Amino acid sequence: MFQPAKIERLPKMNFRYHLLKVDGVWYLMEVDRPIIITYFLPWFVYFIPHKAYQLTEDEVGVLAPKVFERDKKHQSLVNNQIGKTSLGLGVTSMLLARAFPIEKYLNITSRFVNLSLMMLILIFVVGLRIWMGRGEGMQEIVADKTPRKVYCFPSEIKKILLILTLTLFALVVSIAICYVILLNLSPNFIFHIVLLSISFLFLSAGNLIFYSPIISFKAKVK
């Protein structure tokens, strides 16, 4: 039977594991396996079982020391500061673009360079994603080595549809940019920057979007 659940991220950048709380019990949930699903077919990530290891409160304290004392006011302040910084950078970029016509320096005249840069970006993104999903040393902290199967869904269907749409959009944009680069329709460096960010977003959607702590979940542990 599915019960209300809560997900917390580990304090360090760790894409492989999340903390899951179900019925007052904490688990270390492995959300980044199997790779084929979580990387390339994230739409099915809710429909496959994930491994989870039961944790004691002491183990939770070691893995995420501040998980019991989240300061929402501090987090809100940080988010506001990030928003102001992003706005400032955006305004500065617009002013610089008007003062200096940098667009003429962004064009790549060589088709070979254009294609090579695209391949390097894709290789870099996949390599970075694999490196971030290693999750080394996590199971050494957990005393219970017996994995349990966990099915974890968002509690609201409309949120599932929104998540699926966002991920599909990221995939379509990535394919469209690769198509433009392959045909050399617009040899501009901006396309490579967008490809870098959007392709990484798609590959990490299973962790960043599908299992985001801001979403309420329901989970079943077997």
Side-chain angles (χ1 to χ4, degrees), residues 18-190:
H18 287 348
L19 292 175
L20 174 70
K21 187 177 184 181
V22 184
D23 195 24
V25 180
W26 287 95
Y27 299 90
L28 182 66
M29 184 171 69
E30 187 176 18
V31 298
D32 206 28
R33 297 294 185 275
I35 290 177
I36 296 298
I37 298 296
T38 56
Y39 285 26
F40 305 106
L41 299 170
W43 305 280
F44 302 103
V45 74
Y46 291 138
F47 306 101
I48 59 173
H50 297 279
K51 290 182 180 179
Y53 303 87
Q54 187 171 339
L55 300 171
T56 64
E57 289 195 358
D58 291 338
E59 290 170 338
V60 175
V62 173
L63 291 170
K66 295 184 180 180
V67 73
F68 298 116
E69 47 178 342
R70 298 292 185 191
D71 190 347
K72 295 183 179 180
K73 292 184 179 179
H74 174 71
Q75 186 62 39
S76 176
L77 180 63
V78 171
N79 291 339
N80 290 335
Q81 188 63 36
I82 292 174
K84 292 179 181 178
T85 303
S86 301
L87 179 61
L89 290 175
V91 173
T92 303
S93 300
M94 290 178 62
L95 293 176
L96 288 175
R98 286 183 173 274
F100 304 99
I102 60 173
E103 64 274 5
K104 65 180 180 180
Y105 300 107
L106 297 177
N107 291 329
I108 303 172
T109 56
S110 172
R111 189 169 188 269
F112 174 76
V113 173
N114 205 33
L115 294 176
S116 299
L117 186 56
M118 182 192 75
M119 294 305 300
L120 285 175
I121 287 174
L122 294 177
I123 293 172
F124 170 76
V125 169
V126 175
L128 177 64
R129 181 65 181 85
I130 292 174
W131 180 79
M132 295 179 72
R134 294 175 303 165
E136 295 178 350
M138 290 292 103
Q139 293 189 30
E140 298 175 2
I141 303 175
V142 183
D144 185 2
K145 304 297 183 182
T146 305
R148 294 167 171 79
K149 289 184 178 181
V150 175
Y151 290 88
C152 191
F153 296 88
S155 56
E156 298 180 22
I157 299 297
K158 63 180 181 180
K159 290 185 178 180
I160 298 179
L161 297 177
L162 176 61
I163 291 169
L164 296 178
T165 303
L166 288 174
T167 309
L168 181 61
F169 173 77
L171 177 62
V172 170
V173 171
S174 297
I175 293 175
I177 293 175
C178 289
Y179 179 77
V180 169
I181 294 174
L182 285 172
L183 296 184
N184 209 35
L185 298 178
S186 182
N188 194 295
F189 188 67
I190 294 297

Side-chain angles (χ1 to χ4, degrees), residues 189-209:
F189 188 67
I190 294 297
F191 282 94
H192 295 283
I193 297 176
V194 175
L195 178 63
L196 175 64
S197 57
I198 295 296
S199 59
F200 181 77
L201 175 63
F202 173 73
L203 287 178
S204 57
N207 309 81
L208 293 178
I209 301 177

